Amino acid sequence: MKCLVILVKVSTIGSHSSLQILHGAKMEGFQTSVITDTKREKFYQQFNFIDKVLAFKDIDEAVDLINSEEDSVLIPHGSLVEYLGQERVNKIKIKIYGNRNIFGWEGNQHKKMYLLKTSNIKIPQTFEKPEDVDRVVIVKLPGAKGGRGYFLAKNKQEVRQGIDDLIKKKEINSEEDVIIQEYIVGVPMYFQFFYSTLLQRTEIFGIDIRYETNIDGLRRLPQGYIDVEPTFIVVGNIPAVARESLLPKAQEFAESFVNNVKEKVPPGMIGPFCLESIVTDKGEIVVFEFSGRIVAGTNLYTNGSPYSWLYWNEPMSMGRRISRELKNAIINNKIDLVTT
Amino acid sequence: MKCLVILVKVSTIGSHSSLQILHGAKMEGFQTSVITDTKREKFYQQFNFIDKVLAFKDIDEAVDLINSEEDSVLIPHGSLVEYLGQERVNKIKIKIYGNRNIFGWEGNQHKKMYLLKTSNIKIPQTFEKPEDVDRVVIVKLPGAKGGRGYFLAKNKQEVRQGIDDLIKKKEINSEEDVIIQEYIVGVPMYFQFFYSTLLQRTEIFGIDIRYETNIDGLRRLPQGYIDVEPTFIVVGNIPAVARESLLPKAQEFAESFVNNVKEKVPPGMIGPFCLESIVTDKGEIVVFEFSGRIVAGTNLYTNGSPYSWLYWNEPMSMGRRISRELKNAIINNKIDLVTT
Amino acid sequence: MKCLVILVKVSTIGSHSSLQILHGAKMEGFQTSVITDTKREKFYQQFNFIDKVLAFKDIDEAVDLINSEEDSVLIPHGSLVEYLGQERVNKIKIKIYGNRNIFGWEGNQHKKMYLLKTSNIKIPQTFEKPEDVDRVVIVKLPGAKGGRGYFLAKNKQEVRQGIDDLIKKKEINSEEDVIIQEYIVGVPMYFQFFYSTLLQRTEIFGIDIRYETNIDGLRRLPQGYIDVEPTFIVVGNIPAVARESLLPKAQEFAESFVNNVKEKVPPGMIGPFCLESIVTDKGEIVVFEFSGRIVAGTNLYTNGSPYSWLYWNEPMSMGRRISRELKNAIINNKIDLVTT
């Protein structure tokens, strides 16, 4: 059996969650490689669980480097599409763990919300046009930009102004690129899941809270102390657990989502995903976004999360969970079920 | 010895901290069962450390199901009384881990504070009547409601108004049900302890910060951005450690509390409890509440907390600690010392 | 080899991070002792990894107690100088792990910033005199006071007023004692590192966020609800991880710092240090302070941090990391490389 495993290598782009992905891959017995910018070459070389660092000077070389790893499975993460761009990603010929068809859905805020809505998941109201806005909203840009460009607006005028500014700054091409979402009052909670194709079950993996600059710093200052616009750039994550009574609901949403993706984005959800949520004081979970792949919040749990210990009783990071699934798929001759 | 252990099963109500309780019980070699609402049946069935899921459609069946587990020890948690109600809890005939006499004290905010005060623990000033209020206060409802209904008030008029509203909404029967507490300026810190009856020692178990909706979300918005009243519903927990120099004081409070409960609520504190505190900028710990059983904040530490590792050098959740104590009590023929 | 190890004991002052230091030392096979105030004697006696508790009634006895541990290596931490004072510390005759020459640099805010600046690390602008201030600033006292006395000021008048108050209260002797720093808008992130003299590498150890009273409590209140000045006393720490793309930059800063300290403060950085930073919404890391020894934020990671697991694949607290290095130094007859 072991020979089957060593036939395959796990690779990823050096960013986002690559450390835990490759650390987990090594724990499962895989060879590992990271494809990264030459500026980060030295950084990744220090870790003994990374067997090979493939560095590129120019981003156009990245795809060639990826494709040169013929015996590898590439693990996608939030920086893959954002960094390489959809066009380059389309040129990747080696196996990708998970469903590569979901990238296009993730990159479009409207399709994203459609997928959540048709999963019978409670979502915030969306306003088609700035003129429809009748409450406080948050306006979001497409893709996994880590919150860059997002802004709050109290009324239709502010929405219009903000969108026009984004177009001027060439952050977006047109109004259609953004999504205008009702601002839900409550607390953010990001529910991380793993859908196991082999075990056909949805595991609650962990929970995190995003740590955003400058908003999480501004609120430590007396109001009006510094005249700065709040920004929402994610620069880190903080661990959390939820009331146990929220978990069945969160998991129900997750399972419903898995079923819906199976239908609408074949071959369906494979492996890690996240339901980015607000929990209101009515105890409701409102999902305002999803990620169809590993999220950086799982970086908190290199040695397992409060929830993964319940399933595994051994250190199980999301990175390792991916490689465990991959290994089991290879051993059982089912690698096509978990790669695309 | 092992045969003694397998004679006993650990059971709990499916909510609050039941996952870590049963996970820990299984690690200590117990059979396990969970009694839960049929809606959550599927949720609990997914975990392999739960041997039996007993589901009820109607809450009145819950006590019968509990009592049907004759060979079990029931582990109480914050949802037990809150969920079943004191009357139903009184009908529980199987052994309960810990001191069931403390439930009545926990359900009454005035008795709660009395127990803290007579333990020589620093507590916030309490105002008997709304008319006595001369500073910012927080008004709290009885029981472990997770902060529901709590409100802040700047003066006696606001207190009066808030209480009248609660009576109108039938959240409380009369003014006597609430407690009016001085609002202590500082940061919340919840000190979790375990009192071992067998080892006669008080272990610092961990620290958490509650994550409350909508207050922890509101503060991320510019002031006055959304016209919503702050609410304090606990929906999760965030881990923390304290300055080491605070720990001796916290432990002194905890030990003093244990001694006092032994006298006033025989047979005394058994197992987990929590001192819910504010730490001021004078370095003082002011305890505004206690929990006489496992708190949900310990859910953070399924694999041990920064403090439990110091005592145990093996993964020790609060759930597992309970079962470790229970196991040792059974082995030493002292089960009556830890159950009531 | 083992006999070499048991020849040496690890000691520290009972405060700050002494629990993890001694716990880690025991895991590496050392004898351990703690020197502490008699008031804390009982507290430290409860832990079985502490072999000896040496208690003093009067702080002047502390140095004698330390020096009585002739076969010990003393592990310094943030409370050492702050608690004993530089003069007493100078009288310590036993070996100190790390570079004792750095204490003087740490105690002086101006020398501190000079060391960062000459390491080509981005730092906030410093204003020489209150009269130079042209933006919001934070004024800081010397030493590791855990934020005591720090204040925010919007303009030169407020700076002047605040400094005069500190002089009146005898918190400082003169204006020269404080540092007036530009207030950087962003989120705090404290990057913990370990420089291994033996392996000649800089390990990213972990990240924490300080939990400060009353500021972290005040922000939960509606603005102007309570008329209290914000204070910044560190009473605990909260764990976090950073975006992976921030790590190469943080490590570059750390390595540059190590090189610079080698030159300016021989024999250079040895073991744990911390770069206290703000991450801005431009993705910049601005370092506003450093600690040249173990920080209390590492207390979060008794069982290893999200990053230490990547290097070690075994539970590795900062305390244990120190003793691991010490043990390896002893075994290789290089103890003089890691002690001064």
Side-chain angles (χ1 to χ4, degrees):
Chain A
M1 285 305 169
K2 215 172 169 198
C3 54
L4 280 174
V5 175
I6 54 168
L7 277 176
V8 178
K9 195 192 285 181
V10 165
S11 303
T12 197
I13 301 291
S15 192
H16 194 271
S17 48
S18 68
L19 289 172
Q20 61 148 315
I21 287 171
L22 300 176
H23 178 257
K26 183 52 74 189
M27 286 179 92
E28 294 300 310
F30 288 100
Q31 290 291 305
T32 60
S33 72
V34 69
I35 293 96
T36 194
D37 196 291
T38 45
K39 286 175 202 152
R40 298 183 187 171
E41 193 174 3
K42 204 183 140 211
F43 175 76
Y44 287 105
Q45 276 167 345
Q46 75 182 304
F47 298 102
N48 61 11
F49 55 83
I50 303 179
D51 297 311
K52 197 158 69 170
V53 178
L54 296 161
F56 55 84
K57 273 191 195 152
D58 184 59
I59 194 157
D60 283 317
E61 300 168 45
V63 175
D64 288 342
L65 284 178
I66 293 171
N67 287 334
S68 74
E69 294 286 273
E70 287 177 12
D71 53 347
S72 263
V73 175
L74 182 76
I75 315 294
H77 52 53
S79 296
L80 181 71
V81 179
E82 209 46 51
Y83 198 64
L84 296 185
Q86 185 66 56
E87 219 170 307
R88 282 191 199 89
V89 170
N90 290 342
K91 291 181 188 153
I92 296 175
K93 286 178 199 144
I94 65 168
K95 282 187 197 302
I96 290 183
Y97 174 81
N99 179 356
R100 61 168 92 196
N101 303 322
I102 212 161
F103 300 157
W105 289 73
E106 264 205 81
N108 182 309
Q109 295 279 13
H110 298 281
K111 288 175 84 173
K112 229 177 189 172
M113 295 317 291
Y114 168 78
L115 213 48
L116 286 171
K117 196 177 181 177
T118 52
S119 303
N120 293 315
I121 288 171
K122 195 171 170 60
I123 59 170
Q125 190 173 331
T126 297
F127 298 94
E128 290 293 310
K129 296 178 310 237
E131 288 63 37
D132 298 341
V133 168
D134 64 358
R135 65 196 74 179
V136 175
V137 294
I138 182 157
V139 181
K140 295 171 176 179
L141 275 62
K145 295 207 160 39
R148 197 162 54 78
Y150 287 20
F151 67 91
L152 288 176
K154 271 199 299 287
N155 52 47
K156 49 188 81 168
Q157 291 76 22
E158 288 185 14
V159 177
R160 166 58 56 212
Q161 183 64 48
I163 291 175
D164 288 351
D165 286 354
L166 285 171
I167 294 174
K168 250 178 245 160
K169 283 190 260 170
K170 299 197 173 157
E171 293 276 353
I172 54 170
N173 295 319
S174 78
E175 191 178 312
E176 277 69 44
D177 287 352
V178 302
I179 192 164
I180 307 167
Q181 250 181 14
E182 171 189 14
Y183 187 88
I184 302 287
V185 176
V187 289
M189 225 178 222
Y190 301 92
F191 294 95
Q192 310 154 1
F193 296 95
F194 183 89
Y195 177 69
S196 168
T197 316
L198 301 178
L199 303 177
Q200 294 194 296
R201 71 175 191 189
T202 305
E203 300 162 13
I204 295 184
F205 188 82
I207 294 170
D208 75 282
I209 303 170
R210 300 210 174 141
Y211 191 45
E212 295 173 7
T213 186
N214 60 21
I215 186 70
D216 285 317
L218 272 191
R219 60 181 170 147
R220 305 185 81 223
L221 284 174
Q223 189 72 20
Y225 213 85
I226 293 192
D227 187 28
V228 181
E229 284 294 303
T231 51
F232 304 89
I233 313 293
V234 183
V235 290
N237 304 81
I238 294 169
V241 291
R243 267 183 111 125
E244 194 168 303
S245 56
L246 287 171
L247 299 180
K249 185 49 143 186
Q251 199 175 30
E252 194 190 307
F253 278 177
E255 288 174 358
S256 170
F257 183 71
V258 165
N259 289 334
N260 191 34
V261 175
K262 199 165 285 171
E263 192 187 295
K264 299 213 169 55
V265 197
M269 202 64 247
I270 295 168
F273 64 101
C274 181
L275 298 182
E276 284 93 346
S277 312
I278 297 292
V279 181
T280 73
D281 57 8
K282 310 284 176 275
E284 282 182 326
I285 300 172
V286 185
V287 182
F288 61 88
E289 208 163 326
F290 76 84
S291 302
R293 33 76 204 170
I294 188 170
V295 288
T298 61
N299 289 340
L300 288 160
Y301 304 123
T302 314
N303 191 46
S305 83
Y307 300 108
S308 74
W309 281 99
L310 298 176
Y311 288 97
W312 293 100
N313 251 348
E314 62 180 320
M316 188 58 73
S317 69
M318 189 62 99
R320 188 179 184 184
R321 184 68 189 88
I322 290 170
S323 283
R324 173 69 56 94
E325 187 85 350
L326 203 51
K327 187 172 75 175
N328 287 336
I330 292 166
I331 289 170
N332 293 293
N333 213 12
K334 291 183 175 173
I335 194 163
D336 290 344
L337 282 186
V338 300
T339 56
T340 54
Chain B
M1 284 306 169
K2 214 172 172 197
C3 55
L4 281 174
V5 175
I6 56 168
L7 277 177
V8 178
K9 195 192 286 180
V10 164
S11 303
T12 197
I13 301 291
S15 192
H16 193 271
S17 48
S18 67
L19 289 172
Q20 60 147 317
I21 287 171
L22 300 176
H23 178 257
K26 183 53 74 189
M27 286 180 91
E28 294 301 308
F30 288 100
Q31 290 291 304
T32 61
S33 72
V34 70
I35 293 96
T36 194
D37 195 292
T38 46
K39 286 174 201 152
R40 299 183 187 172
E41 194 175 2
K42 207 184 138 210
F43 175 77
Y44 286 106
Q45 276 168 345
Q46 76 183 302
F47 298 102
N48 61 11
F49 55 83
I50 303 179
D51 296 311
K52 197 158 69 170
V53 178
L54 296 161
F56 55 82
K57 272 189 196 152
D58 184 60
I59 194 159
D60 283 317
E61 299 168 46
V63 175
D64 288 344
L65 284 178
I66 292 171
N67 287 333
S68 75
E69 294 286 272
E70 288 176 11
D71 54 348
S72 265
V73 174
L74 183 76
I75 315 294
H77 52 54
S79 296
L80 182 72
V81 179
E82 209 45 50
Y83 197 64
L84 296 185
Q86 184 67 54
E87 220 170 305
R88 282 191 199 88
V89 170
N90 290 342
K91 290 180 189 154
I92 296 174
K93 286 178 199 145
I94 66 168
K95 282 186 197 303
I96 290 183
Y97 174 80
N99 180 356
R100 62 168 91 197
N101 304 323
I102 212 161
F103 300 157
W105 290 73
E106 263 205 81
N108 181 308
Q109 295 279 15
H110 298 281
K111 288 175 84 172
K112 231 177 189 172
M113 295 318 291
Y114 168 78
L115 213 48
L116 286 170
K117 195 176 181 178
T118 52
S119 303
N120 293 315
I121 289 171
K122 194 169 171 61
I123 59 170
Q125 189 172 334
T126 298
F127 297 94
E128 290 293 311
K129 296 177 309 231
E131 287 63 38
D132 298 340
V133 167
D134 63 359
R135 64 195 76 178
V136 175
V137 294
I138 182 157
V139 181
K140 295 172 177 179
L141 274 63
K145 294 207 162 36
R148 196 163 53 78
Y150 287 20
F151 67 91
L152 287 176
K154 271 198 300 286
N155 51 46
K156 49 188 81 170
Q157 290 77 22
E158 287 185 14
V159 177
R160 166 58 56 214
Q161 184 62 48
I163 291 176
D164 289 351
D165 287 354
L166 285 172
I167 294 174
K168 251 180 244 159
K169 284 190 260 170
K170 298 197 173 156
E171 294 276 354
I172 54 169
N173 295 318
S174 78
E175 192 178 310
E176 278 67 45
D177 288 352
V178 303
I179 192 162
I180 307 167
Q181 250 181 15
E182 172 189 14
Y183 187 89
I184 302 287
V185 176
V187 289
M189 225 178 222
Y190 301 93
F191 294 94
Q192 309 155 3
F193 295 95
F194 183 89
Y195 177 68
S196 168
T197 315
L198 302 177
L199 303 178
Q200 295 193 297
R201 71 176 191 189
T202 305
E203 299 163 11
I204 295 185
F205 188 81
I207 294 170
D208 74 282
I209 303 170
R210 300 209 175 141
Y211 191 44
E212 294 173 8
T213 186
N214 60 21
I215 187 71
D216 284 317
L218 272 191
R219 62 183 170 143
R220 305 185 81 224
L221 284 173
Q223 189 72 19
Y225 214 85
I226 292 191
D227 187 27
V228 182
E229 283 294 302
T231 51
F232 303 89
I233 313 292
V234 183
V235 291
N237 304 81
I238 293 169
V241 290
R243 267 184 112 124
E244 195 167 302
S245 56
L246 287 171
L247 299 180
K249 185 48 143 187
Q251 198 174 29
E252 192 190 308
F253 278 177
E255 288 175 358
S256 169
F257 183 71
V258 165
N259 289 334
N260 191 34
V261 174
K262 199 165 283 171
E263 191 187 296
K264 298 212 172 53
V265 198
M269 202 63 247
I270 295 168
F273 64 102
C274 182
L275 298 181
E276 284 93 346
S277 312
I278 297 292
V279 180
T280 72
D281 57 8
K282 310 282 174 274
E284 282 182 325
I285 301 173
V286 184
V287 182
F288 61 88
E289 208 163 327
F290 77 83
S291 301
R293 33 78 203 168
I294 187 171
V295 288
T298 60
N299 289 341
L300 289 159
Y301 304 123
T302 314
N303 191 47
S305 82
Y307 300 108
S308 73
W309 281 101
L310 298 176
Y311 289 97
W312 294 99
N313 250 347
E314 62 180 319
M316 188 58 73
S317 69
M318 189 62 99
R320 188 179 184 184
R321 184 67 189 87
I322 290 170
S323 282
R324 172 70 55 94
E325 185 86 351
L326 204 51
K327 188 173 76 176
N328 286 338
I330 292 166
I331 289 171
N332 293 293
N333 213 11
K334 291 183 175 173
I335 192 161
D336 290 344
L337 283 185
V338 299
T339 56
T340 53
Chain C
M1 284 306 169
K2 214 172 169 196
C3 56
L4 280 175
V5 175
I6 55 168
L7 278 177
V8 178
K9 196 193 285 182
V10 164
S11 303
T12 197
I13 301 290
S15 193
H16 194 271
S17 49
S18 67
L19 289 173
Q20 61 148 317
I21 287 171
L22 300 176
H23 178 258
K26 183 53 74 188
M27 287 177 92
E28 294 300 311
F30 288 101
Q31 290 291 305
T32 61
S33 71
V34 70
I35 293 96
T36 194
D37 197 291
T38 46
K39 287 175 200 151
R40 299 182 185 173
E41 194 174 3
K42 206 183 139 211
F43 176 76
Y44 286 106
Q45 275 168 346
Q46 74 182 304
F47 297 102
N48 61 12
F49 54 84
I50 303 179
D51 297 312
K52 196 158 70 170
V53 179
L54 296 161
F56 56 82
K57 273 191 196 151
D58 184 59
I59 195 159
D60 283 318
E61 301 167 45
V63 175
D64 288 343
L65 285 178
I66 292 171
N67 287 333
S68 75
E69 295 287 272
E70 287 176 12
D71 53 349
S72 265
V73 174
L74 183 76
I75 315 294
H77 51 54
S79 296
L80 182 71
V81 178
E82 209 44 55
Y83 198 63
L84 296 185
Q86 185 66 55
E87 219 170 308
R88 284 192 198 87
V89 170
N90 290 342
K91 292 180 188 152
I92 296 175
K93 286 178 200 144
I94 66 169
K95 282 186 197 303
I96 290 183
Y97 174 81
N99 179 356
R100 61 168 93 197
N101 304 323
I102 211 161
F103 300 158
W105 290 73
E106 262 205 82
N108 182 309
Q109 295 280 14
H110 297 281
K111 288 175 85 172
K112 231 177 189 172
M113 295 319 291
Y114 168 77
L115 213 47
L116 286 170
K117 196 176 180 180
T118 51
S119 303
N120 292 315
I121 289 172
K122 194 171 169 60
I123 59 170
Q125 189 173 333
T126 297
F127 297 93
E128 290 292 312
K129 296 178 309 235
E131 288 61 38
D132 299 339
V133 168
D134 64 358
R135 64 195 75 179
V136 176
V137 294
I138 182 158
V139 181
K140 294 172 176 179
L141 274 62
K145 294 207 163 35
R148 197 162 54 78
Y150 287 19
F151 67 91
L152 287 176
K154 272 198 298 287
N155 52 47
K156 50 188 80 169
Q157 289 77 22
E158 288 185 15
V159 177
R160 165 60 53 214
Q161 182 64 47
I163 291 175
D164 289 350
D165 287 354
L166 285 172
I167 294 174
K168 252 180 244 159
K169 283 190 260 170
K170 299 197 172 159
E171 293 277 353
I172 53 170
N173 295 319
S174 78
E175 193 178 310
E176 277 68 44
D177 287 352
V178 303
I179 192 162
I180 307 167
Q181 250 181 15
E182 171 189 14
Y183 187 88
I184 302 287
V185 176
V187 290
M189 225 178 222
Y190 301 93
F191 294 94
Q192 310 154 2
F193 295 95
F194 183 89
Y195 177 69
S196 168
T197 316
L198 302 177
L199 303 178
Q200 293 192 297
R201 71 175 192 190
T202 304
E203 299 163 12
I204 295 186
F205 189 81
I207 294 170
D208 74 282
I209 303 171
R210 301 211 173 140
Y211 191 45
E212 296 172 7
T213 186
N214 61 23
I215 187 69
D216 285 317
L218 272 190
R219 60 180 172 150
R220 305 186 80 223
L221 285 173
Q223 189 72 19
Y225 213 86
I226 291 190
D227 187 27
V228 182
E229 283 294 303
T231 51
F232 303 89
I233 313 292
V234 183
V235 290
N237 304 80
I238 294 169
V241 291
R243 268 183 111 124
E244 194 168 302
S245 55
L246 287 171
L247 299 180
K249 185 48 141 185
Q251 199 174 29
E252 192 190 308
F253 278 177
E255 288 174 359
S256 171
F257 183 70
V258 165
N259 289 335
N260 192 34
V261 175
K262 199 165 285 172
E263 191 188 296
K264 300 212 170 54
V265 197
M269 202 64 248
I270 296 167
F273 65 101
C274 182
L275 298 182
E276 284 93 346
S277 312
I278 298 292
V279 181
T280 73
D281 57 8
K282 308 284 175 274
E284 282 181 326
I285 300 173
V286 185
V287 182
F288 61 87
E289 208 164 328
F290 76 83
S291 302
R293 32 78 203 168
I294 187 171
V295 288
T298 61
N299 288 341
L300 289 160
Y301 304 123
T302 314
N303 191 47
S305 83
Y307 300 108
S308 74
W309 281 100
L310 298 175
Y311 288 96
W312 293 100
N313 252 347
E314 62 180 320
M316 188 58 73
S317 68
M318 190 62 99
R320 188 179 184 184
R321 184 68 189 88
I322 291 169
S323 282
R324 173 69 57 93
E325 186 85 351
L326 203 51
K327 188 172 75 176
N328 286 337
I330 293 167
I331 290 170
N332 293 294
N333 213 11
K334 293 183 174 174
I335 194 162
D336 289 343
L337 282 186
V338 299
T339 56
T340 52

